[in-house]
Amino acid sequence: MNKDIFLTNNLTNKKEKFVPINKNSIGMYVCGPTVYDDPHIGNARPLVVFDILFKILKSKFSSVTYVRNITDVDDKIIKSSNEKNISITDLTKKVIKSFHEDCKYLNCENPSQEPKATEHIDLMIEMISQLIKKGFAYENNKHVYFEVKKFNDYGKLSNKKIEELVAGSRVEVSDNKKNSEDFVLWKPSLENEPSWDSPWGLGRPGWHLECSAMSKKFLGNEFDIHGGGIDLIFPHHENEIAQSRCANNTKIFANYWLHNAFITISNEKMAKSQGNILKIKDFKNKVSGQVLRLALISAHYKQPLDWNDKLIEDCQNTINKWYNVFLPSKKDLNEEILQPLYDDINTPGYIANLHKLYEKAIKGNDEDKQIFNSACNFIGLLDETKEDWLNYKKIKVNISEEEILNKIELRNKARNNKDYKEADNIRDYLLDKGVLIEDKDGKTIWKFK
């Protein structure tokens, strides 16, 4: 049996054996939240996926440093602050608190380091100065831009030429640029925006630069793994590679690049315009965090995951069944059990193993139960007592059938009018009352949880 870890590397578009730079010190950097609003279920997927990769790496190597940043200065934050009529400081504190509560709810371990962008502005200024000095960046009208044409490997991660990348993306249009594809490293702040003193005047860093500066501080010029959502490949990760390699004069930045795919909601893209954004906090009084965790890893991280009521119900039923053999334990697991996880974080394969272990445990002795529980614990499941689990199921049903049917009719009207926000509100109202609904064959069916 192969005991090595294999990962799909988006830099080469191949599944490769993981060979660390230094087996005694593994480094992993994952792009964390931009704290402008409470995290949604799409944000939860990389949290759980890379939390599991952290556990996998720690099972093999003695020292693993997992860095996940917090972006607390950004255009989105400024815009949200203005819309909510709340100070940027108060907004970011509130969202960071919410983010940490969500991580705990999903049973994610704390990363080794969680640097904030605003605490590392000096490192960003230093990196920009190096890029200007080396001829990769230029200043114009208090803005500093990275000159993309100076970096020959630009587009290697996204596997596209510069012309294709620019044509297919929203790039900032500015008279201050030499070329349309150049991206900002520093820009002047407007009045009432966060600002720091720099050689180019009062301003703030570009978003891409933050991760380059913070990964360098905690992991060095070169490290093993960089992760994030698939939407970050271009331009964010492409730009990170360019500025880091040029500033640090290296042939690599990170050796392995991993990206999780999107979440859809009932086969529709999750988007603000669709009105189908599901926030993590909205689930907290309805279902256990481990139900969400199991749902998030039910598909391979590289595959899209469709989020729907049936998925949640199935995961709820699975964990409820598994609690039949609940027995707290810390038992070492053999390589055969963990093998799917070593094969590119194959969580569906690992879950299939759990089902087999459950069948053995329910017929077997305490040792079988201990192995099963330890295997669940390894991926962050069955982490709460049976009593805590049962408390989540005690949703009092206090709604009549007449009201249920009336709400379903109103929801169908809202969907027909493309008022998806109202449709989701009605679904959540029914869920709060202990009623599950499912759209099937053009009809909406319902049942009590």
Side-chain angles (χ1 to χ4, degrees):
M1 179 172 292
N2 202 319
K3 296 182 180 181
D4 294 316
I5 294 173
F6 285 81
L7 300 170
T8 296
N9 186 358
N10 280 342
L11 195 62
T12 58
N13 290 314
K14 294 177 185 174
K15 187 159 75 171
E16 301 173 349
K17 177 181 171 182
F18 174 64
V19 181
I21 295 169
N22 176 358
K23 67 179 182 179
N24 297 316
S25 181
I26 310 300
M28 177 170 74
Y29 187 95
V30 177
C31 291
T34 299
V35 288
Y36 67 96
D37 201 358
D38 293 322
H40 55 68
I41 204 69
N43 304 134
R45 195 175 195 191
L47 284 178
V48 173
V49 165
F50 291 105
D51 179 63
I52 289 176
L53 179 55
F54 186 31
K55 296 174 191 297
I56 294 167
L57 293 168
K58 286 194 296 179
S59 76
K60 286 280 195 181
F61 302 100
S62 58
S63 175
V64 182
T65 301
Y66 170 23
V67 183
R68 185 184 65 211
N69 72 297
I70 289 178
T71 295
D72 56 350
V73 55
D74 180 78
D75 291 343
K76 287 182 179 178
I77 294 171
I78 294 166
K79 184 182 177 187
S80 180
S81 162
N82 292 331
E83 288 173 352
K84 291 178 167 67
N85 197 24
I86 180 175
S87 75
I88 287 172
T89 301
D90 288 345
L91 173 65
T92 55
K93 277 184 181 177
K94 175 178 173 291
V95 177
I96 289 170
K97 182 174 181 289
S98 179
F99 172 71
H100 285 149
E101 288 169 353
D102 291 346
C103 290
K104 188 176 180 182
Y105 168 63
L106 293 168
N107 198 25
C108 293
E109 289 185 57
N110 292 329
S112 315
Q113 301 286 346
E114 193 179 55
K116 295 186 181 74
T118 55
E119 295 171 355
H120 296 87
I121 303 295
D122 56 333
L123 296 181
M124 298 176 209
I125 291 171
E126 186 181 327
M127 185 170 274
I128 295 169
S129 298
Q130 284 295 316
L131 287 167
I132 293 174
K133 185 179 176 182
K134 293 176 178 181
F136 293 106
Y138 58 90
E139 179 196 359
N140 188 12
N141 195 21
K142 298 183 179 178
H143 292 72
V144 182
Y145 290 96
F146 183 92
E147 191 167 358
V148 168
K149 286 178 180 173
K150 295 284 184 74
F151 180 59
N152 292 333
D153 282 346
Y154 195 82
K156 190 177 178 182
L157 179 66
S158 44
N159 199 27
K160 290 182 180 178
K161 296 177 182 176
I162 291 176
E163 299 77 20
E164 294 174 316
L165 290 169
V166 173
S169 304
R170 288 179 295 176
V171 293
E172 180 197 0
V173 177
S174 173
D175 292 336
N176 296 312
K177 291 183 180 185
K178 285 184 183 178
N179 314 290
S180 61
E181 66 269 16
D182 297 347
F183 60 88
V184 70
L185 300 172
W186 188 267
K187 55 186 169 184
S189 298
L190 301 176
E191 195 177 347
N192 298 323
E193 288 184 352
S195 62
W196 289 264
D197 198 13
S198 80
W200 319 285
L202 282 175
R204 54 193 175 93
W207 171 43
H208 313 299
L209 189 75
E210 298 172 7
C211 293
S212 286
M214 291 186 283
S215 62
K216 176 174 178 165
K217 176 180 177 179
F218 293 101
L219 299 174
N221 292 346
E222 302 175 355
F223 55 93
D224 296 299
I225 298 169
H226 198 312
I230 196 170
D231 55 317
L232 298 179
I233 292 178
F234 185 84
H236 186 51
H237 288 166
E238 198 74 74
N239 291 352
E240 274 187 67
I241 291 171
Q243 62 205 7
S244 291
R245 283 185 50 191
C246 292
N248 302 328
N249 194 28
T250 59
K251 291 191 176 176
I252 67 156
F253 175 38
N255 272 333
Y256 300 84
W257 288 81
L258 277 67
H259 299 93
N260 63 274
F262 288 122
I263 285 180
T264 56
I265 307 292
S266 298
N267 293 313
E268 293 178 346
K269 184 179 178 183
M270 187 167 62
K272 202 171 182 179
S273 58
Q274 291 283 79
N276 62 356
I277 299 290
L278 296 177
K279 293 186 177 176
I280 301 169
K281 68 177 185 180
D282 295 335
F283 289 89
K284 288 181 181 173
N285 294 325
K286 304 167 190 174
V287 292
S288 161
Q290 55 182 325
V291 172
L292 263 66
R293 190 175 175 96
L294 181 59
L296 287 161
I297 60 174
S298 60
H300 192 273
Y301 77 93
K302 288 186 67 61
Q303 299 300 319
L305 171 64
D306 189 53
W307 196 265
N308 54 68
D309 293 338
K310 187 177 185 307
L311 174 66
I312 302 302
E313 182 184 4
D314 288 347
C315 291
Q316 173 107 358
N317 291 339
T318 294
I319 292 180
N320 193 52
K321 180 180 75 170
W322 287 352
Y323 265 101
N324 289 326
V325 292
F326 178 71
L327 188 66
S329 171
K330 286 188 178 178
K331 202 144 183 91
D332 289 338
L333 300 170
N334 63 41
E335 298 278 352
E336 187 177 355
I337 293 171
L338 296 174
Q339 184 58 37
L341 295 179
Y342 292 156
D343 184 15
D344 200 21
I345 326 174
N346 181 4
T347 50
Y350 188 76
I351 292 166
N353 273 1
L354 290 179
H355 284 294
K356 291 175 187 174
L357 291 172
Y358 169 79
E359 293 301 328
K360 190 176 179 183
I362 203 161
K363 298 171 188 172
N365 55 27
D366 278 359
E367 185 176 3
D368 294 324
K369 291 181 175 66
Q370 288 172 344
I371 290 171
F372 170 72
N373 279 264
S374 295
C376 288
N377 294 161
F378 187 87
I379 56 168
L381 299 176
L382 266 59
D383 60 302
E384 54 193 4
T385 66
K386 194 165 186 177
E387 185 182 8
D388 288 337
W389 165 254
L390 291 173
N391 283 337
Y392 271 105
K393 295 175 66 187
K394 292 177 183 174
I395 297 176
K396 187 178 178 183
V397 176
N398 55 354
I399 185 171
S400 68
E401 184 173 342
E402 183 183 2
E403 186 182 355
I404 293 169
L405 294 174
N406 181 47
K407 289 291 183 186
I408 287 173
E409 187 180 349
L410 290 172
R411 179 175 175 270
N412 287 338
K413 284 180 181 176
R415 283 165 63 85
N416 289 337
N417 293 331
K418 296 190 175 181
D419 187 354
Y420 299 112
K421 186 173 184 180
E422 177 61 17
D424 286 347
N425 287 340
I426 294 169
R427 182 200 61 204
D428 291 345
Y429 171 83
L430 290 171
L431 197 58
D432 276 334
K433 298 290 186 181
V435 179
L436 284 169
I437 61 172
E438 182 184 354
D439 299 309
K440 197 171 184 180
D441 301 326
K443 294 180 180 178
T444 302
I445 58 175
W446 65 273
K447 61 183 176 182
F448 289 121
K449 289 174 71 175

